C-alpha cells in the first residue's frame, strides 16, 4: 500500500515516469515510502527552510558534497521544516526529500571503492605470436593469432596473464563496445607467476576508463564473478561461481613452479585468461587456467600473488619469486620425534635436502626440523595455516621479495634456534619448465646441431614425448640435480639433429643424444662445444655420447671446409646463437 501511494505522489510531483526507479528496488521503495510519510506529516508546517532543502544537491558520496549524517537530517527536519507555511511548497519538499533518501540508499549499497560497470575497464587482447623451433633453433613457426582478456589498473596500465602476451610480434587491445583496436606493448612480465603489465601507446585509450581496485584473498564458499572474452563469441562474458578451495597449484604456463591458487566452479574457458575475478566490486584474482576433462573447474591467481608481482616491479624491473631450495619430509613418526627430543605438539617437519644455494646452506642443514616461518607454525606434515587454509609451507616464503630476510625457527641438536634466512631468486630450474621470450641457444658445426637440453626441446618429440625421449635425457633434465648434485652439468647439451652432407653421411648417431665430451673436453655448457672442436689437433674430431661412452668421428679438415657451405645450403643465418 505504501509503495503504491509513493508511486502515485511521485507521478504527481514529477510527471516523468520516475516511479520505475522506486519500484525497481525493495529497499528504495521502503525508504522512499517512509520519506513520504515524514514529508506528508510536515508539509502543512513549512518555512523558508524549504528553499534550502530544494537547493541541496546529492551525489554518490553524500549530500551537498558532504558525508551524509542522519543526526543532521533529523535536526534539519525538526528545526527547518517545523514552521508554519502553506501547502504550495509541498511538491518541492517531497521531491527533494526523496532525492536525499535515494542518495542514502545508494551510499549504503555501494561498498568502499565502488566501481560502477567494471566491464568498461575489461579489455580484449589479441596477440600475433611467433615461437621458435627448439630442434631447429634458428627457425620460427608460423605466426599464430590468439586472444585473451585484461583489465585496467592504476597507472594507466593493463594487467593480464603472461601466457596471453608471450612471444608477441604484435599486440592489439580493444575497449568494451569499441570497434577501434589500439597498439599495446609489454612493460613487465613474470612468467613464473603468469602475470604481465601492458601499456597502450595512444593515451586516448584510457579516456573514461576507471582503474579497478584490488581486494583480498576470498573465503572458501564465497561467490565471485569472472569477466572476460572467452571463445564462442565476440562480446564480454560474465560467469558467477563459488570459491571451492584455496591451495598451492602448479602454474602450467611455466610448468615448474607452484604458487597460491584459487579454484572456482565459475567457467574459465580459453579467452577468459587474464580477466578479472571480482567480489564486492574489487578484483580478487586473475583467471588463468583450467583442467582438461574436468567440468566446472577453473583457477585464478589470487591477490597475494598479484600484490607480490606489483611490488616487485616498483623498482623498474621484475626479479621473480625467491626460491628456498630445500626439500621437506613429514615428521609424524612418534618414535623418530622422541629420538630427536621434540615436544609432542605435532609441530615441525624435517629438512631432507638442501640445494647448493650458498645463502641457504649457510643457515639450514639437512635433518634440521623446521618449526616456524615468520609467524606461521610448521605442522608435522610440512604445512602451515594460511588465512584459514592449510597449505604447503612454501607459501610462507612467497610473500618475500628477492633479497629479503625471513625469520625461521629450527630444532637442532635437541634445542630451538632462531635464525635469519636470506631468500633469493634462482633460475636453475628454468630449463625444466616452459621457456619464453628468450631465443634458444645453438651451435652448428659440420651440419651437427647442438643445443641445450630443455623441456621445450623434449616436447618437439611429439605429444607423447616422455615415451619417445630416452631415460638418460629425462633423468638428466628432471632428476640428476636431486640425486647427485655434485656431478650435475650446468647446461647439458644434446645433438638435436643433423643437416645432411657428405661430411657427416656416415654419422650413425642422428640426434636426440646427450653429448659427454668432444676431443676430451667435458661438455658442461654450449660454449664448451665450441672449445672442444677448437681443441682438436688430430685428423679426426672425436665426439662422445652418454650414457655408455658411444662415440662418433668427423674428418677435421673436411668438417672445417664444409661448415659454411652447409649453413648456406640449409638457410642457416649464423652458425651460433650464444
Amino acid at each position: 500500500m505504501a509503495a503504491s501511494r509513493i508511486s502515485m505522489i511521485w507521478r504527481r510531483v514529477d510527471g516523468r515516469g520516475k516511479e520505475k526507479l522506486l519500484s525497481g528496488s525493495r529497499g528504495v521503495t521502503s525508504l522512499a515510502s517512509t520519506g513520504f510519510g515524514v514529508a506528508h506529516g510536515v508539509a502543512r508546517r513549512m518555512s523558508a527552510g524549504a528553499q534550502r532543502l530544494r537547493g541541496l544537491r546529492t551525489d554518490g558520496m553524500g549530500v551537498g558534497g558532504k558525508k551524509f549524517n542522519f543526526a543532521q537530517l533529523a535536526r534539519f527536519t525538526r528545526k527547518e521544516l517545523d514552521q508554519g507555511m502553506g501547502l504550495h511548497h509541498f511538491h518541492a519538499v517531497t521531491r527533494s526529500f526523496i532525492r536525499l533518501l535515494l542518495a542514502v540508499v545508494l551510499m549504503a549499497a555501494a561498498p568502499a571503492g565502488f566501481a560502477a560497470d567494471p566491464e568498461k575497464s575489461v579489455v580484449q587482447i589479441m596477440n600475433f605470436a611467433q615461437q621458435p623451433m627448439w630442434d631447429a633453433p634458428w627457425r620460427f613457426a608460423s605466426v599464430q593469432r590468439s586472444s585473451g582478456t585484461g583489465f585496467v589498473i592504476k597507472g594507466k596500465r593493463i594487467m593480464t596473464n603472461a601466457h596471453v602476451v608471450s612471444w608477441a610480434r604484435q599486440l592489439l587491445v580493444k575497449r568494451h563496445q569499441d570497434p577501434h583496436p589500439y597498439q599495446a606493448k609489454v612493460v613487465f612480465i613474470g612468467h613464473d607467476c603468469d602475470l604481465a603489465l601492458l601499456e597502450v601507446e595512444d593515451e586516448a585509450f584510457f579516456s573514461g576508463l576507471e582503474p579497478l581496485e584490488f581486494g583480498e584473498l576470498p573465503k572458501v564458499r564465497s561467490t565471485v564473478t569472472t569477466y572476460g572474452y572467452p571463445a564462442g563469441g565476440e562480446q564480454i562474458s560474465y560467469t558467477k561461481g563459488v570459491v571451492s578451495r584455496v591451495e598451492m597449484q602448479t602454474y602450467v604456463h611455466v610448468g615448474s613452479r607452484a604458487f597460491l591458487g584459487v579454484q572456482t566452479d565459475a567457467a574459465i574457458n580459453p579467452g577468459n585468461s587474464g580477466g578479472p575475478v571480482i567480489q564486492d566490486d574489487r578484483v580478487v584474482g586473475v583467471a588463468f587456467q583450467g583442467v582438461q576433462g574436468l567440468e566446472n573447474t577453473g583457477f585464478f591467481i589470487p591477490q597475494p600473488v598479484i600484490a607480490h608481482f606489483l611490488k616487485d616491479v616498483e623498482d623498474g624491473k621484475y626479479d621473480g619469486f625467491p626460491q628456498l631450495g630445500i626439500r621437506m619430509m613429514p615428521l609424524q613418526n612418534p618414535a623418530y620425534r622422541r629420538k630427536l627430543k621434540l615436544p609432542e605438539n605435532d609441530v615441525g617437519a624435517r629438512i631432507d635436502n638442501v640445494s647448493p644455494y650458498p645463502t641457504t646452506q649457510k643457515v639450514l642443514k639437512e635433518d634440521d626440523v623446521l618449526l616456524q616461518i615468520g609467524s606461521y607454525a610448521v605442522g608435522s606434515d610440512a604445512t602451515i595455516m594460511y588465512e584459514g587454509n592449510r597449505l604447503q609451507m612454501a607459501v610462507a616464503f612467497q610473500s618475500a621479495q628477492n633479497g629479503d630476510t625471513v625469520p625461521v625457527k629450527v630444532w637442532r641438536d635437541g634445542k630451538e634456534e632462531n635464525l635469519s634466512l636470506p631468500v633469493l631468486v634462482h633460475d636453475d630450474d628454468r630449463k625444466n619448465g616452459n621457456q619464453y621470450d628468450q631465443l634458444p641457444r645453438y651451435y652448428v658445426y659440420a651440419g651437427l646441431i647442438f643445443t641445450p637440453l630443455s623441456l621445450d626441446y623434449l616436447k618437439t618429440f611429439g605429444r607423447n614425448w616422455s615415451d619417445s625421449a630416452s631415460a638418460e635425457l629425462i633423468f638428466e633434465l628432471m632428476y640428476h640435480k636431486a640425486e647427485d648434485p655434485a656431478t650435475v652439468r650446468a647446461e647439458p647439451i644434446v645433438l638435436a639433429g643433423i643437416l645432411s652432407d657428405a661430411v657427416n653421411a656416415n654419422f650413425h648417431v642422428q640426434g636426440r643424444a646427450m653429448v659427454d665430451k668432444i676431443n676430451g673436453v667435458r661438455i658442461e655448457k654450449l660454449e664448451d662445444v665450441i672449445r672442444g672442436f677448437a681443441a682438436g689437433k688430430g685428423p679426426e674430431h672425436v665426439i662422445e655420447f652418454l650414457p655408455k661412452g658411444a662415440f662418433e668421428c668427423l674428418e677435421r679438415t673436411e668438417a672445417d671446409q664444409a661448415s659454411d657451405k652447409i649453413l648456406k645450403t640449409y638457410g642457416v643465418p649464423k652458425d651460433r646463437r650464444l
Side-chain angles (χ1 to χ4, degrees), residues 84-85 102 105 162 243 296 349 447 538:
M85 199 69 183
L102 286 174
V105 174
V243 173
N296 301 324

Side-chain angles (χ1 to χ4, degrees), residues 157-175:
R157 287 175 172 169
I158 297 171
M159 173 165 279
T160 187
N161 287 138
H163 75 260
V164 171
V165 296
S166 296
W167 297 115
R169 294 293 192 184
Q170 183 185 46
L171 287 175
L172 298 177
V173 294
K174 292 176 67 176
R175 294 163 41 124

Side-chain angles (χ1 to χ4, degrees), residues 124 176-178 228-238:
Q124 186 177 24
H176 177 61
Q177 303 293 12
D178 186 347
Y229 290 87
E234 296 296 327
Q235 297 298 314
I236 192 170
S237 171
Y238 316 88

Side-chain angles (χ1 to χ4, degrees), residues 121 257 275 282 290 331 333 356 384 496 528 568-569 574:
S121 298
R257 297 285 183 92
R282 288 182 177 268
L331 189 53
N333 184 331
I384 64 169
D528 293 334
K568 185 176 180 180
T569 299
K574 294 182 179 180

Side-chain angles (χ1 to χ4, degrees), residues 19 75 110 119 171 366 388 392 435 438 485 578:
E19 71 273 16
R75 290 196 298 271
E119 64 269 16
L171 287 175
E366 291 184 6
Q392 297 171 24
Q435 301 179 69
Q438 290 187 12
L578 302 177

Side-chain angles (χ1 to χ4, degrees), residues 135-173:
D135 53 351
W138 62 91
R139 297 175 58 192
F140 289 86
S142 60
V143 175
Q144 300 289 325
R145 180 187 183 278
S146 61
S147 67
T149 307
F151 58 98
V152 177
I153 65 171
K154 289 181 179 178
K156 293 186 176 181
R157 287 175 172 169
I158 297 171
M159 173 165 279
T160 187
N161 287 138
H163 75 260
V164 171
V165 296
S166 296
W167 297 115
R169 294 293 192 184
Q170 183 185 46
L171 287 175
L172 298 177
V173 294

